[in-house]
Amino acid sequence: MYIDDLFHSPLGRIAAFAEMQLHLYRHDTSLQDYFEALQLDTLTSPRANSREQRLSSRLVSWAMDGADKVSQFRPRRKIKTDVLVCPNPDNFARKAETRFLVRTLLGLAQTDSKILCLLPDGAPCREELDARLAAAGRSGQVTFIDPATPVNPMEARLRWRVARRRGRSAFEKTVQILESHGLSPGREVEAGFERIAYFVEAWERLAPWVEFDAVVARCHWHPFCTPVCRTAQKRGKAVITFQQGVIGTTLDVPVTASKYVAFGQPSASLMARMNRRFFEAAEVPEPPVEYVSGGCLFDTLTALPDQFAHQTLLMVDVPMPEGDFHGIESQGRALLQLAERLLAADLPLRRLVIRPHPYWSNLDFESCKRLVREHSTRCELSHPVWSLEDDLRRSSVVVGIFSGVLTVASGCGLPTVFLQTEQGFTTADLACFSPHQTLLPDAAFCEIGKLLTDRQAYAEARTHALRSACEYYTDGTNLDLSATFFERLLR
């Protein structure tokens, strides 16, 4: 699969990952469920090989299979619904994603559809969902069900063991397939396979008892959404899915949806090209997909006023996550070096705010903390209680590498710099932000210095940011998740 004009990575891991995807998909399309686990390989653990695979006891396997079948002997209650909604099980802690789910359910409910939402019982957003649906008078249209809830105590005891064995089996098959092509995942990836297998197992136990006309999934490659979308396709049902974020890898393909809602034309065009090339390389027919240019999905584009007087720089994309899948280590170093240069320069920089990614739980903050210690009166780490909107409202300029925060900042009218390095990572998804906003370190230093001191330059940069964001997000607007929007997609 040719990707050189889609992404550039100095490490070549994206190309290797795309090759893995192709080999696995050709062998068994259901292995797409585990693509995300493969992408999370940090390369720090020993490589797996088929010679080390476990020999499970056939007698134990038979006994477990027999007990599991007995545990499922009692039939479930049949559920019929118009629309099956599948959120991402990992995103409930993020307020922006909760807002997206609320808007999705309200918009679908306003079409008068009957809705079944696959929501874990412990999801922290459940109370808010209930309150918002009740306030709109739509509570009776939405049923929530936890797909992982076992039907009896015996199944509860066996479910995880069966899923674990399934995940191990998928991992061993993956190792065997890739090994013949000189590729091998790390042993640590197996835990991710077992986790995903739990979601797959949960859905496949529930699926025969659920009838639906359409699926609305947050993103087709999320752990639980993947098998749900595949089931819907096999049944010939409509599948609507949404762009996850800035397209940084080939993980988004193959697209297992009939309608894919993208931020705007740049992302929709890139996804169409990627999907077409994937199926050409896999030598199988490409199912038809309608790519819809929608707008900003889950973050909020707000028309911010001229904030030149704040003289505050917001820095995102630091520190770097472990593993460096994209090959952005040099860009991460360059970003910290840029921060040091700006803080040491004679500039009217009142404050530099460093905002980490909300999902990077294993980050090394030491370099950032050192900057804060050395410049305690002008440098800070954004506190988790601060929302993205809060940080944008108190900033004059935003700088980073390729985060979605940068595209949102541009859409809000803030001068924004995408830091680039020679031969650094690039994605065609962000090409519309070149050349005015994509800059090498020295040019970025000069540009930020100018934006902090020259009001006219600041005004011009705001114009460039809004123009680029208007191309990236359809008409520079937020996605309209109204009844009209969903009625059109569900037709």
Side-chain angles (χ1 to χ4, degrees):
M1 179 178 170
Y2 179 72
I3 63 169
D4 288 356
D5 61 332
L6 308 179
F7 310 103
H8 176 268
S9 170
L11 297 183
R13 286 189 64 187
I14 298 176
F17 178 63
E19 188 180 351
M20 288 182 177
Q21 290 174 271
L22 279 170
H23 293 314
L24 295 174
Y25 192 82
R26 286 176 183 141
H27 186 89
D28 184 349
T29 57
S30 68
L31 288 175
Q32 181 183 356
D33 296 344
Y34 303 95
F35 285 175
E36 184 189 25
L38 281 175
Q39 189 199 29
L40 297 177
D41 187 350
T42 63
L43 301 182
T44 57
S45 69
R47 300 294 90 188
N49 64 76
S50 58
R51 296 186 303 276
E52 300 174 337
Q53 292 178 359
R54 307 173 188 85
L55 294 175
S56 59
S57 168
R58 185 173 298 177
L59 183 60
V60 172
S61 296
W62 282 347
M64 188 183 300
D65 288 341
D68 189 45
K69 288 180 180 177
V70 170
S71 75
Q72 299 179 65
F73 182 74
R74 183 180 178 183
R76 293 175 180 259
R77 177 176 59 88
K78 276 278 189 180
I79 304 174
K80 292 185 178 182
T81 191
D82 297 321
V83 182
L84 179 67
V85 175
C86 187
N88 175 13
D90 296 329
N91 275 8
F92 297 126
R94 190 178 181 191
K95 292 181 180 179
E97 287 288 349
T98 296
R99 289 198 302 267
F100 179 82
L101 179 56
V102 169
R103 292 169 60 214
T104 297
L105 290 177
L106 287 173
L108 285 168
Q110 287 162 8
T111 68
D112 295 327
S113 297
K114 188 176 180 181
I115 302 161
L116 176 66
C117 182
L118 302 176
L119 191 74
D121 286 337
C125 61
R126 176 59 188 275
E127 186 175 335
E128 180 179 352
L129 290 171
D130 286 338
R132 293 291 299 276
L133 288 167
R138 299 286 179 172
S139 297
Q141 291 175 242
V142 183
T143 300
F144 294 99
I145 185 172
D146 185 348
T149 300
V151 295
N152 56 58
M154 180 183 290
E155 188 189 6
R157 289 193 296 270
L158 290 170
R159 173 80 68 87
W160 174 244
R161 294 179 65 183
V162 171
R164 188 178 185 189
R165 192 180 62 174
R166 179 177 190 149
R168 287 179 174 179
S169 176
F171 180 73
E172 290 172 359
K173 183 190 291 187
T174 295
V175 171
Q176 290 174 350
I177 295 169
L178 296 181
E179 199 171 48
S180 61
H181 299 281
L183 300 166
S184 182
R187 293 175 189 165
E188 66 183 7
V189 172
E190 185 175 18
F193 273 63
E194 293 174 5
R195 174 179 170 275
I196 290 172
Y198 186 79
F199 290 113
V200 177
E201 188 73 24
W203 167 246
E204 291 188 354
R205 290 167 185 257
L206 176 63
W209 308 100
V210 180
E211 294 181 15
F212 53 84
D213 294 324
V215 163
V216 175
R218 172 62 185 92
C219 181
H220 63 279
W221 53 260
H222 282 163
F224 199 80
C225 301
T226 303
V228 173
C229 291
R230 188 171 60 253
T231 297
Q233 282 196 318
K234 287 181 178 178
R235 296 183 185 180
K237 305 299 184 180
V239 182
I240 300 164
T241 188
F242 299 84
Q243 182 173 344
Q244 166 59 29
V246 172
I247 302 172
T249 74
T250 58
L251 179 60
D252 296 75
V253 295
V255 177
T256 50
S258 51
K259 297 185 181 181
Y260 179 96
V261 183
F263 295 159
Q265 188 55 39
S267 299
S269 174
L270 178 58
M271 280 302 309
R273 290 159 61 196
M274 287 171 57
N275 207 48
R276 181 173 62 253
R277 289 186 193 179
F278 180 90
F279 282 101
E280 287 175 349
E283 299 180 325
V284 294
E286 178 186 4
V289 181
E290 179 186 346
Y291 295 93
V292 179
S293 297
C296 190
L297 268 64
F298 41 89
D299 292 309
T300 304
L301 300 183
T302 305
L304 294 176
D306 184 311
Q307 298 183 167
F308 174 80
H310 291 347
Q311 294 181 317
T312 296
L313 175 66
L314 177 63
M315 181 171 285
V316 298
D317 297 338
V318 285
M320 290 296 104
E322 183 183 357
D324 193 20
F325 178 87
H326 295 91
I328 55 178
E329 182 180 357
S330 63
Q331 284 158 286
R333 288 198 304 269
L335 199 56
L336 286 171
Q337 290 166 1
L338 176 63
E340 291 177 343
R341 287 182 67 185
L342 290 167
L343 289 166
D346 183 19
L347 292 171
L349 176 60
R350 294 180 181 174
R351 185 157 296 273
L352 189 153
V353 178
I354 299 173
R355 181 181 179 84
H357 193 286
Y359 293 137
W360 291 351
S361 58
N362 59 342
L363 298 176
D364 180 5
F365 285 96
E366 190 50 43
S367 297
C368 297
K369 289 178 180 177
R370 179 179 56 79
L371 275 177
V372 173
R373 287 194 299 268
E374 293 176 357
H375 304 274
S376 58
T377 61
R378 294 194 300 148
C379 185
E380 69 175 71
L381 279 173
S382 179
H383 194 278
V385 300
W386 287 88
S387 67
L388 174 58
E389 290 82 3
D390 292 332
D391 277 339
L392 292 177
R393 287 192 187 97
R394 62 180 180 143
S395 301
S396 305
V397 183
V398 185
V399 61
I401 299 174
F402 71 105
S403 169
V405 173
L406 300 177
T407 60
V408 171
S410 288
C412 292
L414 288 176
T416 308
V417 173
F418 294 75
L419 186 69
Q420 184 57 268
T421 58
E422 296 289 350
Q423 301 304 312
F425 171 79
T426 59
T427 168
D429 191 32
L430 300 176
C432 61
F433 293 95
S434 298
H436 297 289
Q437 294 172 255
T438 306
L439 304 172
L440 293 171
D442 286 342
F445 174 78
C446 294
E447 177 68 8
I448 293 172
K450 187 191 304 179
L451 295 175
L452 292 170
T453 54
D454 187 334
R455 185 175 287 276
Q456 180 61 36
Y458 187 88
E460 293 174 0
R462 273 171 50 83
T463 301
H464 287 309
L466 287 168
R467 184 183 299 127
S468 299
C470 194
E471 181 178 350
Y472 187 70
Y473 296 113
T474 300
D475 298 325
T477 59
N478 299 297
L479 177 63
D480 175 23
L481 290 170
S482 64
T484 303
F485 171 80
F486 281 113
E487 284 169 351
R488 182 172 68 85
L489 290 184
L490 292 170
R491 275 199 296 268

